[in-house]
Amino acid sequence: MAQIKILPEILSNKIAAGEVVERPASVVKELLENSIDALSTRIVIEIDQGGKSLIRISDNGIGMKSDDALLAIERYATSKIHDDKDLFSINTLGFRGEALPSIASVSKFTLITKDEHSDTGTKIFIKGGVIRSVEETGAATGTVMEIAGLFFNTPARRKFMKTVTTEMGHIGDVVAQTALGWPNIQFRLTHNGKVVKNWSKTGNQFDRAVDIIGSDLKNDLNSISFKDNYFSFNGFISSPQVFRSTSRKIFIFVNGRFIKDRGISHAIFEGYKGRLVKGRFPIAVLYIDIDYDQVDVNVHPAKDEVRFSDQKRVYNKIKDVVSESLESIEKKKWSDRKIDVEVTPPKTSNREIKDEIKIIRNNEYIEKSEIDTESSFMKVQEDEDLWSHNTEAKETKLKDIEPKEPDYEEQVFIQAESSVDVEEEDHIVERLEVSETLFVETFFSELRVCGQLSNTYILCESKNDLILIDQHAAHERIVFEEIKEIVSHNKNEIQILLMPETVDLTFKEATELEAIIPELTKTGFEIEPFGGNTFIIKAVPSILSDCDVAKIISEIAEKAVTKDYSKRPDELLDESLILMACHGAIRKRKKLDIKEMENILARLDHCKN
């Protein structure tokens, strides 16, 4: 008897469902793509219990005749492609003909459809992949697809489904991503009978992007565009001053298809090279249009990966355009702004300085004749106390900051090293010199402040070295430790906002934020749901009273989505404090006076880290 057998069609459909239908959000994605391919201008998505009990997608597309409806639920039946040439030039979102039969094999599936030429509609009911009834029914032009009891006949798959809020969060993300790619279509999402979001039809990509990403970014998104004979793209990128802690706000579309492409994401990051620190991500929406035969979308069953015929060309051009756009924005800002250069030269005349200094800006030299040292462009401090060339005075100041005598810990270190062989003596001396510096408790406050470089770095002088301290990083460390100390002792001071602020989030972010509000309350925030995915901020920690608190809460919500903090509230607290410290710290490009810089150095000495 033969050991190899052909699988029954129902079983093969269930296997295919494992690739196509991962969770309720996967079902929503496949059905939305079918509705878009049917030229719909209005799509309604109704969800019950996170998609576990019901998913209903209704559209006003072209619909189907009765015969076509029966064929649509057969495996590999599709109107999108006809031969192998079509497979390499796909111009629709769906094309395999696997989605409907796969979904029907693991659910109680109902299809109601009617085209504009038919007098009545067709209703088909399928349970577990078996057709139970086919009948005529009254219906409007378009299609309604209803999925009830998803995975009812595959309990192992159903067991791995997450909570209602988690599954609904994934569905919300899928609908938002699709709506972002198709602004000319109205999308209406409801959950348990309540409207979650209604995106009105618009012909403006920017309006749809602002509606989905957040209205607070309206003034921070910059347009980019490019076109040649191979491909074209347009979209929006955020300025380097606006960033997120995750890459969740990067949306890439190829011919209307939302994709996850590491290469394109990397190209965008490269465009920001030198403008964002590690761990910060830009906000970007990119619409790529390319000839259908120059891109392969048949790479992954989920259809969220593509391959270009000339990937290098696409990636390099995106990187270059992003970089050039940001450089253009920066040049525009510099043209409206004077640069203050604070230097610490020996006492000399302005004329001599003018002859010796060249300033480099935007990688171009500014000739000496262009520098007006008498104007505010260059401010030269000639304080006799700072620039004195009196050797005795300088030696006196240097003595003041020489390392102190080793304390108890240093003495223990020296005794331990005294037993080492003589051959390692030179090595020991070097380590002892390092230890002297490490154990000085008041190192920072004893440094002599020389000035400020580019309004970003504090220039300090020690006995033998010139030291540059990043003012934002230093102050961020100070603020973080101070906030953490306050929170640990429950002494946090709260600032009630005169005008409460609101923040709009995605469904998934809103769900996560609502769950972690008790932890945020410990830090001094007072946050309440305000309907839908909007939250109202009534109070903040006093140290953040001058900060953009809506942005802070948005970033905390994004972090909560990417990491499961439900079992690690202490990590959430630390992440929140880090974000709070970053936003509460002195920014780069902020001009400080000598006393302010000395204050930062003195407070650094009190930091544990």
Side-chain angles (χ1 to χ4, degrees):
M1 184 176 179
Q3 298 295 318
I4 299 177
K5 299 179 181 180
I6 297 176
L7 294 175
E9 185 177 355
I10 293 179
L11 181 56
S12 62
N13 282 339
K14 287 183 179 180
I15 294 174
E19 298 178 343
V20 178
V21 187
E22 180 185 359
R23 61 195 329 153
S26 305
V27 175
V28 172
K29 176 180 178 292
E30 295 291 342
L31 299 185
L32 283 177
E33 289 180 350
N34 282 342
S35 293
I36 293 172
D37 287 339
L39 307 179
S40 305
T41 59
R42 184 175 184 270
I43 303 175
V44 179
I45 306 98
E46 300 171 84
I47 308 295
D48 284 348
Q49 295 301 311
K52 292 183 177 182
S53 61
L54 177 69
I55 298 172
R56 183 186 293 118
I57 310 291
S58 309
D59 66 57
N60 63 348
I62 58 177
M64 292 180 284
K65 296 179 180 179
S66 179
D67 292 343
D68 288 336
L70 287 168
L71 284 174
I73 58 177
E74 295 292 335
R75 196 175 183 196
Y76 303 130
T78 179
S79 62
K80 313 298 175 58
I81 59 177
H82 301 91
D83 53 39
D84 57 347
K85 292 182 180 179
D86 294 336
L87 187 61
F88 298 101
S89 183
I90 297 171
N91 58 5
T92 55
L93 298 180
F95 56 90
R96 292 197 183 102
E98 288 184 300
L100 291 186
S102 297
I103 294 169
S105 68
V106 291
S107 67
K108 300 169 186 176
F109 180 81
T110 302
L111 172 66
I112 302 174
T113 185
K114 172 186 173 297
D115 71 347
E116 62 179 349
H117 302 295
S118 301
D119 296 328
T120 60
T122 302
K123 181 178 180 180
I124 303 174
F125 176 66
I126 305 172
K127 184 176 181 181
V130 179
I131 298 177
R132 297 301 176 91
S133 65
V134 179
E135 59 187 45
E136 290 185 351
T137 186
T141 300
T143 302
V144 177
M145 290 169 282
E146 185 177 295
I147 293 86
L150 185 63
F151 299 134
F152 80 97
N153 56 348
T154 53
R157 296 290 305 279
R158 191 172 181 86
K159 181 179 67 175
F160 284 98
M161 292 176 67
K162 304 298 181 181
T163 62
V164 169
T165 54
T166 299
E167 296 298 347
M168 187 57 202
H170 287 289
I171 291 173
D173 284 350
V174 166
V175 177
Q177 291 162 2
T178 308
L180 184 57
W182 297 86
N184 58 328
I185 300 176
Q186 178 190 357
F187 293 86
R188 187 171 182 265
L189 174 64
T190 67
H191 185 226
N192 296 336
K194 296 181 180 179
V195 177
V196 174
K197 190 67 179 179
N198 182 30
W199 289 285
S200 301
K201 178 181 177 181
T202 177
N204 191 317
Q205 291 177 332
F206 182 79
D207 290 342
R208 180 60 63 85
V210 169
D211 193 4
I212 291 176
I213 299 177
S215 56
D216 57 320
L217 298 172
K218 187 172 184 179
N219 298 323
D220 295 310
L221 293 179
N222 304 288
S223 298
I224 59 171
S225 62
F226 169 80
K227 184 176 183 179
D228 67 6
N229 56 2
Y230 179 69
F231 80 120
S232 65
F233 64 83
N234 68 289
F236 315 98
I237 58 173
S238 62
S239 58
Q241 290 74 28
V242 179
F243 50 81
R244 290 293 184 262
S245 302
T246 70
S247 59
R248 284 176 49 81
K249 288 295 190 292
I250 296 177
F251 302 91
I252 304 168
F253 298 89
V254 176
N255 293 337
R257 184 190 306 277
F258 176 75
I259 65 166
K260 300 174 183 177
D261 191 296
R262 292 185 179 181
I264 295 178
S265 296
H266 182 69
I268 295 173
F269 297 153
E270 284 293 298
Y272 279 84
K273 192 171 184 178
R275 297 177 174 90
L276 287 177
V277 299
K278 184 179 180 181
R280 302 300 185 191
F281 299 88
I283 299 167
V285 182
L286 197 63
Y287 302 96
I288 301 174
D289 291 309
I290 188 170
D291 290 341
Y292 299 111
D293 59 352
Q294 297 298 314
V295 58
D296 182 9
V297 300
N298 192 23
V299 177
H300 191 274
K303 298 176 293 186
D304 58 1
E305 297 179 15
V306 299
R307 184 174 292 114
F308 300 99
S309 61
D310 191 348
Q311 297 190 48
K312 187 175 181 180
R313 182 176 182 178
V314 173
Y315 300 158
N316 287 340
K317 185 51 65 175
I318 290 174
K319 179 190 71 173
D320 293 342
V321 171
V322 170
S323 180
E324 290 168 4
S325 176
L326 294 173
E327 186 175 347
S328 176
I329 295 169
E330 291 165 356
K331 283 183 177 179
K332 184 177 180 181
K333 289 182 178 179
W334 278 110
S335 65
D336 299 330
R337 173 180 174 180
K338 293 180 179 179
I339 307 173
D340 292 338
V341 180
E342 210 169 326
V343 295
T344 59
K347 186 175 181 180
T348 184
S349 68
N350 286 346
R351 177 58 57 189
E352 293 176 15
I353 296 172
K354 184 174 180 180
D355 291 338
E356 292 295 328
I357 297 178
K358 282 187 177 181
I359 297 177
I360 301 175
R361 185 177 65 190
N362 292 332
N363 297 323
E364 295 181 358
Y365 283 99
I366 299 176
E367 294 301 326
K368 295 181 291 184
S369 59
E370 295 179 49
I371 303 176
D372 182 6
T373 56
E374 300 297 332
S375 69
S376 60
F377 182 76
M378 176 173 290
K379 297 179 180 179
V380 181
Q381 298 184 358
E382 297 187 6
D383 190 330
E384 293 296 333
D385 293 334
L386 289 178
W387 316 124
S388 173
H389 285 265
N390 188 305
T391 305
E392 295 179 0
K394 292 185 74 173
E395 290 179 352
T396 302
K397 290 184 179 181
L398 291 176
K399 287 179 181 178
D400 292 339
I401 61 172
E402 287 180 354
K404 297 179 179 180
E405 290 297 320
D407 58 13
Y408 173 74
E409 291 179 277
E410 288 181 88
Q411 293 173 12
V412 172
F413 177 78
I414 294 171
Q415 290 173 4
E417 291 292 341
S418 63
S419 61
V420 183
D421 293 339
V422 179
E423 297 160 351
E424 300 181 12
E425 183 177 354
D426 293 339
H427 195 56
I428 296 172
V429 171
E430 182 180 349
R431 293 178 62 184
L432 287 176
E433 288 175 352
V434 174
S435 70
E436 287 181 355
T437 303
L438 294 177
F439 286 102
V440 173
E441 296 181 354
T442 57
F443 172 75
F444 289 104
S445 58
E446 290 186 346
L447 295 176
R448 173 174 166 270
V449 176
C450 301
Q452 195 179 14
L453 176 63
S454 300
N455 290 342
T456 300
Y457 299 96
I458 301 174
L459 293 177
C460 305
E461 183 184 30
S462 67
K463 181 176 180 180
N464 299 313
D465 302 307
L466 177 67
I467 300 174
L468 280 74
I469 298 176
D470 186 322
Q471 66 191 37
H472 173 72
H475 196 231
E476 184 176 341
R477 165 54 57 179
I478 294 168
V479 174
F480 172 75
E481 294 202 7
E482 288 179 354
I483 295 178
K484 193 166 185 177
E485 184 72 16
I486 291 171
V487 172
S488 63
H489 290 84
N490 294 321
K491 296 180 180 179
N492 46 318
E493 298 180 4
I494 298 175
Q495 174 68 53
I496 305 296
L497 298 180
L498 183 62
M499 295 293 293
E501 293 194 31
T502 58
V503 56
D504 296 318
L505 305 173
T506 66
F507 188 90
K508 198 170 182 180
E509 291 170 351
T511 302
E512 294 294 335
L513 181 62
E514 192 167 2
I516 63 177
I517 283 179
E519 292 299 322
L520 293 178
T521 302
K522 297 178 183 178
T523 68
F525 280 104
E526 185 178 335
I527 307 171
E528 295 178 2
F530 198 58
N533 297 335
T534 303
F535 289 79
I536 186 169
I537 307 169
K538 295 184 175 180
V540 299
S542 57
I543 198 167
L544 301 178
S545 58
D546 296 328
C547 300
D548 186 348
V549 292
K551 182 179 178 181
I552 297 174
I553 294 301
S554 179
E555 287 196 41
I556 290 175
E558 285 186 36
K559 280 282 188 180
V561 168
T562 56
K563 296 183 179 180
D564 179 16
Y565 289 120
S566 58
K567 299 179 181 179
R568 303 193 300 274
D570 55 325
E571 290 188 15
L572 166 66
L573 191 60
D574 275 350
E575 289 283 357
S576 301
L577 294 181
I578 290 171
L579 288 171
M580 291 160 62
C582 179
H583 286 275
I586 293 172
R587 314 307 295 179
K588 67 177 184 178
R589 301 292 182 191
K590 178 177 175 59
K591 185 174 178 61
L592 305 176
D593 58 34
I594 296 294
K595 289 185 178 180
E596 288 174 321
M597 290 185 274
E598 289 177 343
N599 180 51
I600 290 177
L601 297 181
R603 293 167 70 186
L604 272 177
D605 282 332
H606 295 287
C607 290
K608 295 179 180 179
N609 187 340

